[in-house]
Amino acid sequence: MPDQRLLLINLGSTSTKLAVFDDRHCRFVETIRHPADVLAPFEDVSAQHDFRKSAIVDRLRTHGVDPRSLTAIVSRGGVLKPVPAGVYAIGPELVADARSSRYGRHACNVGCEIAFDLAAELGIVALMVDPPTCDDLCDEARFTGLPRITRRAAWHALNQRATARRLAADLGKTHGELHAVIAHLGGGISIGAHAGGRVIDVNNCLDGDGPFSPERAGSLPTGALVSLCFSGAHTEEEIRRLLAGKGGLFAHLGTTDGEEIERRIRGGDLAAQKTVDAMAFQVAKSIGAAACALNGRIDAIALTGGLAHWSRLVDLIRERVRFLAPVRLYPGEDEIGALAAGALRALAGEETIRQYG
């Protein structure tokens, strides 16, 4: 038997991804797709708890894994209150915040609940690694021009921090020695200033802050946004969907599919080309801003996430930022691997298991 057998779960809006690791060896990984008609009877994602939990347990049986052989269950973090980055024990207070959706609604909130429930039944530990609301921002990054509004972090913490560890190792440094700008390029785009194992500044991509992305509007001219909100043409919910879900490339081009957009550009679609040029321009500007947050001390710039496979976009960004530091590519995002690595560090005593609260 391995020292640690981990069940890793990562819930998306229409999918449940799970894996079992025997120490660092992946025994299996699988993504269960949930068609829209199957999910339609549920009022919202929080009502899918029992359905998703049963699907996970069934897959364990299919792969011949006895739940009693597990030593820990690890969930991707949900939208929770701001906490320092790290590995957390999933306990009653965390589950209560996840269930209430007081800080935001996401399928991963349900993942935390399922991990806690299964772990309680089995008498083992449930863990969460680098949730998207982990927050180590410097004080200056929190300020806005209105005292009643402060900036908060909501970003691709799990993949960015895993990428930072890979980048540090590639440069012959420890994570704590690294100074870098890391840009996660996906459906949302987050750009973090990494210094000494912390991210001292990062855009809140959950609310659409920062550069526009395939589905998010990004930072907008404030006056025009206020006028749109009070125009009477949209409800509050519709405005929020325009900002995060139906903004960005989708708003301009009617799709978030990079391959389709690339085909259009190759076919002579100038509107598609200009829109991608503009997105790359905004990403590059945000990387430059993060460089300022680091006082210009940058070991490297790393591009990661699904869109880091898109050579056109990568080349456009690299051309504008390479004068700041070398640009390295880490395409894709291995969230399951990052969850396993974080949990194994914590269970081996290399990293403290934090308490949420």
Side-chain angles (χ1 to χ4, degrees), residues 6-13 15-19 21 26 29 31 33 74-78 106-108 127-132 155-163 166 184-188 190 205 216 304-306 330-345:
L6 309 178
L7 169 61
L8 308 147
I9 57 177
N10 182 356
L11 272 61
S13 58
S15 66
T16 298
K17 190 169 188 176
L18 71 154
F21 272 58
C26 180
V29 60
T31 300
R33 303 293 178 185
V74 191
S75 173
R76 181 184 170 198
H106 194 281
C108 284
L127 299 173
M128 171 185 77
V129 180
D130 290 334
W155 53 298
H156 303 90
L158 184 62
N159 185 49
Q160 277 213 34
R161 283 175 56 80
T163 300
R166 291 177 61 191
H184 176 105
L185 310 174
S190 63
C205 66
R216 294 171 191 171
T304 183
Y330 297 88
E333 50 182 305
D334 181 14
E335 292 179 331
I336 287 291
L339 288 174
L344 289 169
R345 288 194 305 271

Side-chain angles (χ1 to χ4, degrees), residues 52-346:
R52 300 273 193 138
K53 180 182 174 184
S54 294
I56 290 168
V57 173
D58 286 345
R59 284 304 193 278
L60 289 177
R61 293 196 192 100
T62 299
H63 289 278
V65 176
D66 184 346
R68 293 171 298 180
S69 69
L70 299 171
T71 55
I73 302 176
V74 191
S75 173
R76 181 184 170 198
V79 183
L80 303 163
K81 67 182 176 183
V83 294
V87 180
Y88 285 81
I90 300 177
E93 185 175 349
L94 190 155
V95 170
D97 279 353
R99 185 176 294 125
S100 71
S101 298
R102 61 182 296 191
Y103 297 102
R105 191 179 301 277
H106 194 281
C108 284
N109 288 20
V110 182
C112 291
E113 293 183 58
I114 293 172
F116 177 75
D117 291 347
L118 285 173
E121 293 169 11
L122 297 167
I124 59 178
V125 66
L127 299 173
M128 171 185 77
V129 180
D130 290 334
T133 51
C134 67
D135 187 337
D136 289 313
L137 299 182
C138 64
D139 290 341
E140 297 91 333
R142 301 184 190 281
F143 271 71
T144 76
L146 293 177
R148 289 183 296 177
I149 300 176
T150 57
R151 298 190 186 280
R152 65 186 183 97
W155 53 298
H156 303 90
L158 184 62
N159 185 49
Q160 277 213 34
R161 283 175 56 80
T163 300
R165 291 179 183 278
R166 291 177 61 191
L167 175 61
D170 289 346
L171 296 176
K173 296 176 176 286
T174 66
H175 185 208
E177 294 171 335
L178 182 71
H179 285 69
V181 178
I182 298 181
H184 176 105
L185 310 174
I189 292 175
S190 63
I191 297 168
H194 293 244
R198 298 171 51 209
V199 171
I200 61 171
D201 194 16
V202 67
N203 60 298
N204 181 340
C205 66
L206 184 67
D207 288 341
D209 186 29
F212 75 81
S213 73
E215 61 181 36
R216 294 171 191 171
S219 300
L220 297 168
T222 308
L225 178 58
V226 170
S227 296
L228 180 64
C229 291
F230 285 91
S231 67
H234 302 283
T235 65
E236 178 181 346
E237 181 61 27
E238 287 170 344
I239 291 288
R240 292 188 181 278
R241 290 295 294 165
L242 287 174
L243 296 179
K246 295 185 176 180
L249 294 182
F250 181 84
H252 284 280
L253 304 175
T255 182
T256 62
D257 187 335
E259 292 183 357
E260 178 184 338
I261 294 170
E262 180 63 25
R263 286 194 295 272
R264 289 191 197 178
I265 294 172
R266 292 178 184 274
D269 188 332
L270 292 180
Q273 180 177 328
K274 288 183 177 181
T275 304
V276 173
D277 288 350
M279 187 171 75
F281 178 79
Q282 291 194 6
V283 171
K285 284 204 305 178
S286 293
I287 289 173
C292 290
L294 295 172
N295 292 326
R297 181 185 172 188
I298 317 168
D299 298 315
I301 297 164
L303 305 182
T304 183
L307 291 185
H309 289 290
W310 192 356
S311 59
R312 178 185 300 274
L313 180 65
V314 166
D315 290 346
L316 287 168
I317 295 168
R318 185 180 0 226
E319 183 63 27
R320 289 188 179 276
V321 302
R322 63 184 180 181
F323 75 96
L324 293 168
V327 179
R328 291 184 174 239
L329 297 185
Y330 297 88
E333 50 182 305
D334 181 14
E335 292 179 331
I336 287 291
L339 288 174
L344 289 169
R345 288 194 305 271

